[in-house]
Amino acid sequence: MKSADRGILSEHDLKKTSNKMVYGLMVGVIVIMVFSMLYPILMTMFNGLKSNQEVNSFPPHFFPQEWHFGNLKDAMKYMDLPVFLRNTLYIFAGNMLMTLIVLGMSSFSISRMNVPYKSAFYFFFLMTLFIPATSYMVPNFVNLKELGLLNQYAAFWLPAGANTFYFLLLKNFFDGIHPEIFEAARIDGASEPRSFFSIAVPLSVPIFATLAIFIFSTAWNDWYWPSLVMHSEQKYTLATAIYKYVINVKALNTNIKFAILFIVSLPPILVFLVFQKFIMRGVALSAVKG
Amino acid sequence: MNQTASLTEHPERKKLQPYKQNRWKKNFWGYMFLVPALAIFIMFMWVPIFKGLLYSFYHVDFVKGNTFVGFENYARALSDPDVWTAVKNTLYYMSLCLVIGFWVPIAFAIAISELRKFGGVVRVAAYLPFVIPGVVLYGLWRWLYDPVGPINALLGWVGVDQISFLTDTRWSMISLVIMETWQQFGSGMLIYLAAVLSIPRDWYEAAEIDGAGVWARIRYITLPSLRSLIILMLILQIIGTSQGYQSQMALLDGGPNNTTLTYALLMVKYAFTRLDYGTATALGMLMFIVLGGLGIAQFKLSKEDN
């Protein structure tokens, strides 16, 4: 009972003045940290609601003196956000489906089916972990070009099935499901595809949710690779479009710039706040790649 | 005669056939489940990797076709003074990430584990910057670092001279590292925090009874318990930062005066600005040779961890 309540410090420690001061200092540093995390994010929001003159005034104000909600409308007028949003969601949905089917089936096969030479196949998948992704980024692009996939969504969807990290997460998850369930299904006459789709998949909702969040944030954040693969403006993802039309553009008013930045950070922030538990667990998982 | 022959042959066939069929049936779906992944891994991972090896010896031309040039690409890469600048910059970037960024998540994980209240809120706040997209980060920090932005306002308020964070060659890389640390430390912190919280509380109790002070408890219990995780995170960070190029490209395009030109950024520029894919793949192969060893080290360590 008592031992559960303590951390490194016990109640007794905190009675000493020197410890109290250190503890107070620590709390102070954490408060400063929280402030410096939240200030820039709130600033993005408030700057997007100020007049352009106020954004550029020195020293900067925190709260807008006048609220200009019209900026959000101007931001929507400046660029066709819904089209870029749709492109991003296309990529997300396709990548998710590919991960679920291709990696789900292969990891299930490795984890729960008796395939001969299983460890050889496993090693084949795992080996790609040793190769730093950036080192084959250029040939990867050349390969897509030679396959004629440039400027097509398939250039994202198909390679989404080649993710060793997600493969491992899925395999570790399937390893944790009791094999007896599948034995029982087999005895009852269920075919292997059936025991995958009607037993393994429904049991794997938590891991698929974690993967969905990873895949969503990749689709939402990635700006450079899509700018190489998609060369027609109509197919840019949200992040690419913003990089091209907002970040490096001098002629755009700063307040409108911030309004756009605010609009695109809002969905991931909301997703994070709603799915905190999944995400925090996902982060802990990402430490044990391998 | 005929009868006996058929009698001896027949049972054998009966025995063999079901066995063969069973074995095929038994493994059929196992293989079928693997086939799509195998095809995709080959097509989009192994083919590019081998093409990378191949094209590093070729002059790549999409229109006229590729021509074999031997070691010319490697020679060009190694004789380019920019490559050596880029290697130096990358090493500088990596060491700055260690000095400025590496210890921050560990320190905060230990501190936050000691909070009696509001631990959840602090965690969410620390992780929040990691959630916002990279492009927002660049837009936001360009403004924060502006000569008339809030950071310079704060410096002016404490009485320090203005700093041109992005355009001053001494500050440009440091500014990028601070920005990235701000964004990324939350995720590292959560990983460490999970490990700190999994240390049995009784150990601290026992140490305290034996007279160990607070620092001694951190020094001899907390940090040793995190040891293997710290090493793993160190390797992961080195692998990650040695390939870094995105914020250098987005904010400064390698400038001012090539001070933020990292190796990966130079490789990308060779490919997509100069359209010299051959030299770019040669640079990629050199990177692979240097970093491959680190990948193996990471794999071994994370296996031990599990």
Side-chain angles (χ1 to χ4, degrees):
Chain A
M1 225 0 232
K2 202 189 149 210
S3 67
D5 278 351
R6 60 169 294 146
I8 298 170
L9 294 163
S10 63
E11 293 301 318
H12 178 71
D13 285 319
L14 287 174
K15 284 184 185 131
K16 270 205 259 170
T17 346
S18 61
N19 286 340
K20 243 187 215 165
M21 275 167 63
V22 171
Y23 192 80
L25 198 71
M26 187 195 89
V27 172
V29 170
I30 290 177
V31 169
I32 292 172
M33 183 273 287
V34 169
F35 175 75
S36 67
M37 295 288 122
L38 295 180
Y39 172 83
I41 291 174
L42 290 174
M43 250 344 212
T44 313
M45 181 168 80
F46 289 139
N47 274 350
L49 299 174
K50 290 172 186 169
S51 70
N52 195 38
Q53 208 186 351
E54 199 189 341
V55 176
N56 293 317
S57 64
F58 185 82
H61 306 134
F62 186 61
F63 288 109
Q65 287 171 330
E66 282 174 64
W67 299 80
H68 291 261
F69 289 101
N71 290 350
L72 297 174
K73 216 185 257 170
D74 290 344
M76 299 296 278
K77 240 186 268 163
Y78 173 74
M79 57 197 287
D80 204 350
L81 289 173
V83 169
F84 302 125
L85 174 69
R86 188 204 62 195
N87 296 346
T88 305
L89 293 180
Y90 264 178
I91 291 179
F92 164 66
N95 287 3
M96 192 62 213
L97 199 69
M98 278 299 281
T99 307
L100 200 150
I101 293 175
V102 173
L103 291 178
M105 289 197 323
S106 59
S107 53
F108 182 73
S109 172
I110 294 282
S111 169
R112 282 286 164 256
M113 289 171 158
N114 295 316
V115 194
Y117 310 112
K118 191 190 265 187
S119 51
F121 285 119
Y122 185 46
F123 189 67
F124 173 83
F125 290 124
L126 227 57
M127 252 180 25
T128 49
L129 276 183
F130 301 138
I131 299 158
T134 318
S135 74
Y136 61 93
M137 181 182 140
V138 176
N140 199 2
F141 174 81
V142 175
N143 185 43
L144 289 179
K145 185 162 181 139
E146 287 174 347
L147 290 172
L149 286 175
L150 286 194
N151 215 19
Q152 291 186 31
Y153 292 110
F156 293 89
W157 293 339
L158 294 175
N163 191 314
T164 319
F165 173 50
Y166 297 162
F167 169 82
L168 277 174
L169 285 185
L170 282 165
K171 190 205 162 257
N172 287 343
F173 188 86
F174 289 138
D175 283 348
I177 302 178
H178 283 291
E180 288 86 358
I181 298 176
F182 301 109
E183 293 298 330
R186 259 168 225 150
I187 290 166
D188 288 349
S191 65
E192 297 290 346
R194 172 131 195 200
S195 65
F196 174 69
F197 284 106
S198 9
I199 301 176
V201 171
L203 283 175
S204 315
V205 169
I207 192 73
F208 284 134
T210 305
L211 286 179
I213 284 157
F214 282 148
I215 292 169
F216 173 78
S217 72
T218 315
W220 198 269
N221 290 340
D222 220 9
W223 58 274
Y224 186 58
W225 184 247
S227 78
L228 294 174
V229 175
M230 299 300 207
H231 41 67
S232 79
E233 196 187 308
Q234 283 305 306
K235 289 193 171 172
Y236 281 165
T237 61
L238 204 53
T240 305
I242 284 170
Y243 180 70
K244 295 240 170 179
Y245 303 133
V246 178
I247 301 299
N248 283 330
V249 172
K250 295 254 153 51
L252 181 62
N253 282 343
T254 318
N255 59 341
I256 305 296
K257 220 178 239 188
F258 273 105
I260 296 172
L261 295 184
F262 171 62
I263 293 172
V264 293
S265 3
L266 203 56
I269 289 177
L270 290 180
V271 168
F272 168 61
L273 292 179
V274 173
F275 296 107
Q276 264 182 60
K277 264 189 194 159
F278 278 125
I279 293 172
M280 301 255 188
R281 191 180 52 203
V283 173
L285 282 176
S286 67
V288 277
K289 285 186 185 181
Chain B
M1 272 274 278
N2 246 339
Q3 236 181 1
T4 48
S6 68
L7 266 176
T8 47
E9 261 177 44
H10 201 64
E12 251 181 37
R13 219 189 270 151
K14 238 186 182 175
K15 236 195 220 162
L16 260 172
Q17 257 181 348
Y19 175 66
K20 252 188 184 168
Q21 229 175 22
N22 252 342
R23 202 183 150 146
W24 170 239
K25 251 191 184 165
K26 218 175 119 191
N27 297 325
F28 174 74
W29 285 112
Y31 284 125
M32 283 318 271
F33 273 34
L34 278 176
V35 164
L38 289 175
I40 282 182
F41 267 77
I42 290 172
M43 205 60 212
F44 296 102
M45 246 171 166
W46 289 108
V47 167
I49 287 165
F50 282 107
K51 272 188 181 168
L53 180 63
L54 190 69
Y55 287 166
S56 65
F57 297 104
Y58 276 83
H59 176 76
V60 179
D61 192 322
F62 292 121
V63 186
K64 289 184 206 153
N66 308 333
T67 39
F68 182 75
V69 292
F71 281 94
E72 207 175 277
N73 290 328
Y74 288 93
R76 183 176 311 119
L78 295 174
S79 63
D80 182 352
D82 280 355
V83 170
W84 301 106
T85 316
V87 169
K88 239 185 283 168
N89 286 339
T90 307
L91 291 174
Y92 180 55
Y93 171 63
M94 289 163 72
S95 39
L96 277 180
C97 286
L98 287 182
V99 173
I100 297 175
F102 186 68
W103 56 273
V104 177
I106 306 175
F108 274 109
I110 294 174
I112 290 171
S113 77
E114 282 306 299
L115 282 183
R116 298 292 192 268
K117 275 176 200 163
F118 300 115
V121 180
V122 171
R123 255 178 258 195
V124 169
Y127 192 72
L128 209 51
F130 195 71
V131 182
I132 63 168
V135 283
V136 174
L137 182 81
Y138 306 140
L140 172 62
W141 277 78
R142 185 168 280 169
W143 178 75
L144 290 176
Y145 277 148
D146 200 82
V148 292
I151 297 181
N152 271 315
L154 184 71
L155 289 178
W157 187 63
V158 254
V160 182
D161 278 344
Q162 233 183 40
I163 299 171
S164 334
F165 286 98
L166 292 174
T167 47
D168 187 330
T169 50
R170 285 167 304 168
W171 279 94
S172 50
M173 194 66 103
I174 297 173
S175 308
L176 291 182
V177 173
I178 292 173
M179 175 187 88
E180 290 187 339
T181 305
W182 177 82
Q183 190 203 16
Q184 288 163 9
F185 95 95
S187 92
M189 188 276 290
L190 286 184
I191 293 168
Y192 285 117
L193 187 61
V196 170
L197 291 177
S198 72
I199 300 169
R201 312 281 97 176
D202 307 355
W203 295 1
Y204 297 123
E205 188 84 37
E208 192 184 348
I209 291 166
D210 288 349
V214 177
W215 297 117
R217 275 172 248 162
I218 293 176
R219 167 83 181 71
Y220 294 107
I221 298 176
T222 317
L223 290 178
S225 310
L226 298 179
R227 211 191 81 124
S228 61
L229 181 61
I230 291 177
I231 295 173
L232 179 67
M233 294 290 278
L234 181 71
I235 292 174
L236 280 178
Q237 175 166 350
I238 290 173
I239 291 175
T241 53
S242 58
Q243 301 178 56
Y245 67 94
Q246 294 210 344
S247 43
Q248 284 84 351
M249 174 159 72
L251 276 173
L252 295 162
D253 196 30
N257 198 15
N258 279 354
T259 44
T260 57
L261 181 75
T262 60
Y263 186 85
L265 179 55
L266 184 69
M267 182 184 84
V268 166
K269 282 189 165 192
Y270 256 107
F272 303 112
T273 315
R274 304 184 200 178
L275 300 180
D276 184 350
Y277 294 100
T279 311
T281 44
L283 286 169
M285 284 310 297
L286 293 172
M287 181 190 226
F288 163 67
I289 292 166
V290 175
L291 292 184
L294 276 175
I296 293 172
Q298 176 226 336
F299 178 71
K300 282 206 167 140
L301 276 169
S302 57
K303 255 203 156 168
E304 273 170 33
D305 234 29
N306 281 359

